[in-house]
Structures are given as structure tokens and as C-alpha cells.
Amino acid sequence: MPGIRIVHRTCLPPGEAWRRLTDWERHGAHVPLTRTTVETPPPTGVGTRFTARTGVGRITFDDPMEVGLWRPPSGGRAGMVRLVKRGRVVLGWAEIEVRPLEGGGAEVLWREDLRVRGLGRPFDPLVAAAGRLVFGRALVHLLRT
């Protein structure tokens, strides 16, 4: 599985960075050709399910995910959310960790291991590079002040 690791620093306080990064429907606005729909009622927590649908017209695929770990940042402690991918096309997991920085702001660590069904190991470097590009861009836009 291609490993994706992105580190980003922001001047936002950890709580605000967390709020923006876990607003699942906003993710779709920053991933090309994607719309995200939350399928469970708020608030977000373990068991929350949502689907990112990517594509154009009839050529689409769904990336359904479920929150497996939900620990918002608080009291100077880092927050972490773990998403388990439950789809037929995209498999794996993603973790977003938000750490407070000394002096203010936050550091975000986005880790993702994903596999696209039907693509063998020779495609892992391409999948990882595309993931870093797409998720890195989304991360920057979600945290933009």
C-alpha cells in the first residue's frame, strides 16, 4: 500500500484547525471532481460515516469512510482522527493528527495508506504521488486563513 505522509504548519489554534479538517463536506470542495456526503447525524464521532464521490457524469467511484478513532485536541494534547476506507475501489485508512505548537498555532500530520483495487504494486508510486498532491492541496485550502 502506498504510504502518504504530509506535514503542514498553520497559525490557526489546534481547535480551529481540527474543526476545519474534520468538516467532511468541505473536503469535497477542495478535491477535484469530488463531492462529500455525511450519512450519519452530527456530531462527528466514532462510527460517523461519509462518502466522497469522485468523477464526471456516469464515470464515478465512491470512497466510503468511517471514523474509527475520534480524539479532538484539548488541554494542550494533540488530537487524532482515524478514518477507515470501506469501499470497493479505494481501500486503506487515513489519520489526521493536530498537534499544538509552542508559541501558538498547530502542526498537522496527515498519514494515509491506500490501495486502489485493480491496480497492482507497480502503480504504488503513482498512487502515492497523486495522493500527496491531492491531499496536500486539500489540506492547505482547508486551513487557509
Side-chain angles (χ1 to χ4, degrees), residues 29 41 52 74-75 77 88 90 92 101 104 118 121 125 128 136 145:
S74 70
R77 180 178 55 101
R88 293 188 311 237
V90 181
L101 290 173
R121 287 201 173 276
T145 55

Side-chain angles (χ1 to χ4, degrees), residues 7-55:
V7 179
H8 182 79
R9 289 183 173 211
T10 178
C11 62
L12 294 171
E16 178 61 15
W18 177 266
R19 185 190 68 73
R20 291 180 185 203
L21 291 170
T22 60
D23 181 347
W24 309 121
E25 290 176 336
R26 284 188 67 225
H27 281 243
H30 302 293
V31 176
L33 307 173
T34 300
R35 181 175 42 92
T36 305
T37 305
V38 178
E39 294 139 15
T40 51
T44 296
V46 172
T48 295
R49 292 181 315 278
F50 58 95
T51 299
R53 173 169 280 181
T54 301

Side-chain angles (χ1 to χ4, degrees), residues 18 22 24 44-46 67-72 80-82:
W18 177 266
T22 60
W24 309 121
T44 296
V46 172
V67 175
L69 172 71
W70 178 259
R71 190 182 69 223
M80 170 146 348
V81 62
R82 182 177 175 94

Side-chain angles (χ1 to χ4, degrees), residues 35 63 75 80 92 112 126:
R35 181 175 42 92
D63 182 8
M80 170 146 348
E112 189 145 353
L126 179 62

